[in-house]
Coordinates of all heavy atoms in Angstrom, one line a residue:
I41 N 186.0 117.2 162.0 CA 185.7 116.0 161.2 C 184.5 116.2 160.3 O 183.4 116.6 160.8 CB 185.6 114.8 162.1 CG1 186.9 114.5 162.8 CG2 185.1 113.6 161.3 CD1 186.8 113.4 163.8
L42 N 184.6 115.9 158.9 CA 183.5 115.9 158.1 C 182.6 114.7 158.4 O 183.0 113.6 158.5 CB 184.1 115.8 156.7 CG 183.1 115.7 155.6 CD1 182.0 116.9 155.5 CD2 183.7 115.4 154.2
R43 N 181.3 115.0 158.7 CA 180.3 114.0 159.1 C 179.3 113.7 158.0 O 179.0 112.5 157.9 CB 179.6 114.5 160.3 CG 180.6 114.7 161.5 CD 181.4 113.5 162.0 NE 182.1 113.8 163.0 CZ 182.7 112.9 163.8 NH1 182.6 111.6 163.6 NH2 183.5 113.3 164.8
E44 N 179.0 114.6 157.1 CA 177.8 114.4 156.2 C 178.3 115.3 155.0 O 178.7 116.4 155.0 CB 176.5 114.8 156.7 CG 176.2 114.1 158.0 CD 174.8 114.5 158.6 OE1 174.0 115.1 157.9 OE2 174.8 114.5 159.9
I45 N 177.8 114.8 153.7 CA 177.8 115.6 152.6 C 176.7 115.4 151.7 O 176.1 114.3 151.7 CB 179.0 115.1 151.7 CG1 180.5 115.1 152.3 CG2 179.1 115.9 150.3 CD1 181.5 114.4 151.7
Y46 N 176.1 116.5 151.2 CA 174.8 116.4 150.4 C 175.0 117.3 149.2 O 175.5 118.4 149.2 CB 173.6 117.0 151.2 CG 173.4 116.1 152.5 CD1 173.8 116.6 153.8 CD2 172.8 114.9 152.4 CE1 173.6 115.8 154.8 CE2 172.5 114.1 153.6 CZ 172.9 114.6 154.8 OH 172.8 114.0 156.0
P47 N 174.2 116.8 148.0 CA 174.3 117.7 146.8 C 173.2 118.9 147.2 O 172.1 118.6 147.8 CB 173.9 116.8 145.8 CG 173.1 115.8 146.5 CD 173.8 115.6 147.8
M48 N 173.3 120.0 146.6 CA 172.3 121.0 146.6 C 172.1 121.5 145.1 O 173.1 121.8 144.4 CB 172.8 122.2 147.5 CG 172.9 121.6 149.0 SD 172.9 123.0 150.2 CE 174.0 124.2 149.6
Y49 N 171.0 121.8 144.7 CA 170.7 122.2 143.4 C 170.2 123.7 143.2 O 169.5 124.2 144.1 CB 169.6 121.2 142.9 CG 170.1 119.7 142.9 CD1 169.8 119.0 144.0 CD2 171.0 119.3 142.0 CE1 170.2 117.7 144.1 CE2 171.5 118.0 142.1 CZ 171.1 117.3 143.2 OH 171.6 115.9 143.3
P50 N 170.6 124.3 142.1 CA 170.2 125.7 141.9 C 168.8 126.0 142.1 O 167.9 125.3 141.7 CB 170.6 125.9 140.5 CG 171.6 124.9 140.1 CD 171.3 123.7 141.0
M51 N 168.5 127.1 142.9 CA 167.2 127.7 143.0 C 166.3 126.8 143.8 O 165.0 127.0 143.9 CB 166.6 128.1 141.8 CG 167.5 129.0 140.9 SD 168.1 130.5 141.7 CE 166.6 131.5 141.5
D52 N 166.7 125.6 144.5 CA 165.9 124.7 145.1 C 165.5 125.3 146.6 O 166.4 125.6 147.3 CB 166.6 123.4 145.3 CG 165.9 122.4 145.8 OD1 164.7 122.5 146.3 OD2 166.3 121.1 145.7
L53 N 164.3 125.4 146.9 CA 163.9 126.0 148.0 C 163.8 125.0 149.2 O 163.5 125.3 150.4 CB 162.5 126.7 147.9 CG 162.6 127.8 146.9 CD1 161.2 128.5 146.9 CD2 163.7 128.8 147.3
R54 N 164.0 123.6 148.8 CA 163.9 122.6 149.9 C 165.2 122.7 150.8 O 166.2 122.8 150.4 CB 163.8 121.2 149.2 CG 162.4 121.0 148.5 CD 162.5 119.7 147.8 NE 163.4 119.8 146.7 CZ 163.8 118.9 145.9 NH1 163.4 117.5 146.2 NH2 164.8 119.0 144.9
S55 N 165.0 122.5 152.0 CA 166.1 122.5 153.0 C 166.9 121.2 153.0 O 166.4 120.1 152.8 CB 165.6 122.7 154.5 OG 165.0 123.9 154.6
V56 N 168.2 121.3 152.9 CA 169.1 120.2 153.0 C 169.6 120.1 154.6 O 170.5 120.8 155.0 CB 170.3 120.5 152.1 CG1 171.3 119.3 152.3 CG2 169.9 120.6 150.7
K57 N 168.9 119.2 155.2 CA 168.9 119.2 156.6 C 170.0 118.1 157.1 O 170.1 117.0 156.5 CB 167.7 119.0 157.5 CG 167.7 119.0 158.8 CD 166.3 118.7 159.5 CE 165.5 120.0 159.3 NZ 164.3 120.0 160.1
S58 N 170.8 118.5 158.1 CA 171.8 117.3 158.6 C 171.1 116.4 159.5 O 169.9 116.5 159.9 CB 172.8 118.0 159.5 OG 172.3 118.6 160.6
R59 N 171.6 115.2 159.6 CA 171.0 114.1 160.3 C 171.5 114.5 161.8 O 170.9 114.2 162.8 CB 171.5 112.7 160.0 CG 170.9 112.4 158.6 CD 171.2 110.9 158.3 NE 172.6 110.5 158.4 CZ 173.5 110.6 157.4 NH1 173.1 111.1 156.2 NH2 174.7 110.4 157.5
R60 N 172.8 114.9 161.8 CA 173.4 115.1 163.3 C 173.0 116.4 163.9 O 172.7 117.4 163.1 CB 174.9 115.0 163.1 CG 175.3 113.6 162.6 CD 176.9 113.7 162.5 NE 177.5 113.9 163.7 CZ 178.3 112.9 164.4 NH1 178.6 111.8 163.8 NH2 179.0 113.2 165.5
S61 N 173.1 116.6 165.1 CA 172.8 117.7 165.9 C 174.0 118.4 166.6 O 173.8 119.2 167.5 CB 171.6 117.5 166.8 OG 171.9 116.6 167.8
D62 N 175.1 117.8 166.3 CA 176.4 118.3 167.0 C 177.3 119.1 165.9 O 178.5 118.9 166.1 CB 177.0 117.1 167.7 CG 177.5 116.0 166.8 OD1 176.9 115.9 165.6 OD2 178.3 115.2 167.2
L63 N 176.8 119.7 165.0 CA 177.6 120.3 163.9 C 177.9 121.7 164.2 O 177.1 122.5 164.8 CB 176.9 120.2 162.7 CG 176.6 118.6 162.2 CD1 175.5 118.7 161.1 CD2 177.8 118.0 161.9
L64 N 179.1 122.1 163.8 CA 179.7 123.5 164.1 C 179.8 124.2 162.9 O 179.9 125.4 162.8 CB 180.9 123.5 165.0 CG 181.5 124.7 165.5 CD1 180.6 125.3 166.6 CD2 182.8 124.5 166.1
M65 N 180.3 123.5 161.8 CA 180.6 124.2 160.5 C 180.0 123.5 159.2 O 179.8 122.3 159.3 CB 182.2 124.1 160.3 CG 183.1 124.7 161.4 SD 184.8 124.5 161.2 CE 185.0 122.9 162.0
A66 N 179.8 124.3 158.2 CA 179.3 123.8 157.0 C 180.2 124.4 155.9 O 180.6 125.7 156.0 CB 177.9 124.2 156.7
L67 N 180.6 123.6 155.0 CA 181.4 124.1 153.9 C 180.7 123.8 152.5 O 180.5 122.7 152.3 CB 182.8 123.5 153.9 CG 183.7 123.7 152.7 CD1 184.1 125.3 152.8 CD2 185.0 122.9 152.8
E68 N 180.4 124.8 151.7 CA 179.7 124.7 150.5 C 180.9 124.8 149.4 O 181.6 125.7 149.4 CB 178.7 125.8 150.2 CG 177.5 125.6 151.0 CD 176.4 126.7 150.9 OE1 176.8 127.7 150.3 OE2 175.3 126.5 151.2
M69 N 180.8 123.8 148.5 CA 181.8 123.7 147.5 C 181.0 123.4 146.1 O 179.9 123.1 146.2 CB 182.8 122.6 147.6 CG 183.6 122.8 148.9 SD 184.7 124.3 149.0 CE 186.0 123.9 147.8
N70 N 181.7 123.7 144.9 CA 181.1 123.3 143.8 C 180.6 121.9 143.7 O 181.4 121.0 144.3 CB 182.0 123.6 142.6 CG 182.0 125.0 142.2 OD1 181.1 125.6 142.0 ND2 183.4 125.5 142.0
Q71 N 179.5 121.5 143.2 CA 179.1 120.2 143.2 C 180.1 119.2 142.6 O 180.6 119.4 141.5 CB 177.7 120.1 142.4 CG 176.9 118.8 142.8 CD 175.5 118.9 142.4 OE1 175.3 118.6 141.3 NE2 174.6 119.3 143.3
G72 N 180.3 118.1 143.2 CA 181.3 117.1 142.8 C 182.8 117.3 143.4 O 183.6 116.4 143.2
W73 N 183.0 118.5 144.0 CA 184.3 118.8 144.6 C 184.7 117.8 145.6 O 185.8 117.4 145.5 CB 184.3 120.2 145.1 CG 185.6 120.6 145.6 CD1 186.6 121.2 144.9 CD2 186.2 120.4 146.9 NE1 187.7 121.4 145.6 CE2 187.5 121.0 146.9 CE3 185.6 120.0 148.2 CZ2 188.3 121.0 148.0 CZ3 186.6 119.9 149.2 CH2 187.8 120.5 149.1
Y74 N 183.9 117.4 146.5 CA 184.3 116.5 147.5 C 184.7 115.1 146.8 O 185.8 114.7 147.1 CB 183.2 116.2 148.5 CG 182.9 117.4 149.5 CD1 182.0 118.3 149.3 CD2 183.7 117.5 150.6 CE1 181.8 119.4 150.1 CE2 183.6 118.6 151.5 CZ 182.7 119.5 151.3 OH 182.4 120.5 152.2
A75 N 183.9 114.6 146.0 CA 184.2 113.4 145.3 C 185.4 113.4 144.4 O 186.3 112.5 144.5 CB 183.0 113.0 144.5
K76 N 185.5 114.5 143.6 CA 186.6 114.7 142.8 C 188.0 114.7 143.6 O 189.1 114.4 143.1 CB 186.6 116.0 142.0 CG 187.7 116.5 141.1 CD 187.4 117.7 140.5 CE 188.7 118.1 139.7 NZ 188.5 119.4 139.0
N77 N 187.9 115.2 144.9 CA 189.2 115.4 145.7 C 189.3 114.2 146.6 O 190.3 114.2 147.5 CB 189.1 116.7 146.3 CG 189.5 117.8 145.4 OD1 190.6 118.0 144.9 ND2 188.4 118.5 144.9
G78 N 188.4 113.2 146.5 CA 188.5 112.0 147.4 C 188.3 112.3 148.8 O 188.7 111.6 149.8
I79 N 187.4 113.4 149.2 CA 187.1 113.8 150.4 C 185.8 113.2 150.8 O 184.8 113.4 150.1 CB 187.3 115.2 150.7 CG1 188.5 115.9 150.3 CG2 186.7 115.7 152.0 CD1 188.6 117.3 150.1
K80 N 185.8 112.5 152.0 CA 184.6 111.7 152.4 C 184.4 111.9 153.9 O 185.3 112.3 154.7 CB 184.8 110.3 152.0 CG 186.0 109.7 152.6 CD 186.3 108.3 152.0 CE 187.5 107.7 152.5 NZ 188.6 108.6 152.7
P81 N 183.1 111.6 154.4 CA 182.9 111.6 155.8 C 184.0 110.8 156.6 O 184.4 109.7 156.2 CB 181.5 111.0 155.9 CG 180.9 111.3 154.7 CD 182.0 111.2 153.6
G82 N 184.5 111.4 157.7 CA 185.6 110.8 158.5 C 186.8 111.6 158.2 O 187.8 111.5 159.1
D83 N 187.0 112.3 157.1 CA 188.1 113.2 156.8 C 188.0 114.4 157.7 O 187.0 114.7 158.2 CB 188.2 113.5 155.4 CG 188.6 112.3 154.4 OD1 189.1 111.3 155.0 OD2 188.4 112.4 153.2
S84 N 189.1 115.2 157.9 CA 189.0 116.4 158.7 C 189.8 117.5 158.3 O 190.8 117.3 157.4 CB 189.5 115.9 160.1 OG 190.8 115.5 160.2
F85 N 189.5 118.7 158.7 CA 190.2 119.8 158.5 C 191.4 119.8 159.5 O 191.5 119.3 160.5 CB 189.4 121.2 159.1 CG 188.5 121.7 158.1 CD1 187.2 121.9 158.7 CD2 188.8 122.2 157.0 CE1 186.2 122.4 157.9 CE2 187.8 122.8 156.2 CZ 186.5 122.9 156.6
D86 N 192.5 120.5 159.1 CA 193.6 120.8 160.0 C 193.2 122.2 160.6 O 193.2 123.2 160.1 CB 194.9 120.9 159.2 CG 196.1 121.4 160.0 OD1 195.9 122.0 161.1 OD2 197.2 121.3 159.6
L87 N 192.7 122.0 161.9 CA 192.1 123.2 162.5 C 193.2 124.3 162.7 O 192.6 125.4 162.6 CB 191.4 122.7 163.8 CG 190.1 121.9 163.6 CD1 189.6 121.4 165.0 CD2 189.0 122.6 162.9
E88 N 194.3 124.0 163.1 CA 195.3 125.0 163.2 C 195.5 125.8 161.9 O 195.6 127.0 161.8 CB 196.6 124.5 163.8 CG 196.5 124.1 165.3 CD 195.9 125.3 166.1 OE1 196.4 126.5 166.1 OE2 195.0 125.0 166.9

Side-chain angles (χ1 to χ4, degrees):
I41 297 176
L42 175 60
R43 302 299 182 166
E44 303 173 28
I45 302 170
Y46 299 101
M48 299 194 318
Y49 300 98
M51 309 304 280
D52 190 349
L53 298 180
R54 292 172 293 169
S55 292
V56 178
K57 188 179 280 191
S58 67
R59 291 187 309 271
R60 297 176 66 115
S61 59
D62 60 344
L63 301 166
L64 189 69
M65 297 175 274
L67 178 61
E68 291 179 340
M69 301 297 289
N70 285 312
Q71 199 166 83
W73 182 88
Y74 286 97
K76 177 181 175 184
N77 289 283
I79 298 170
K80 58 195 175 316
D83 291 343
S84 63
F85 278 125
D86 175 340
L87 291 177
E88 285 307 310

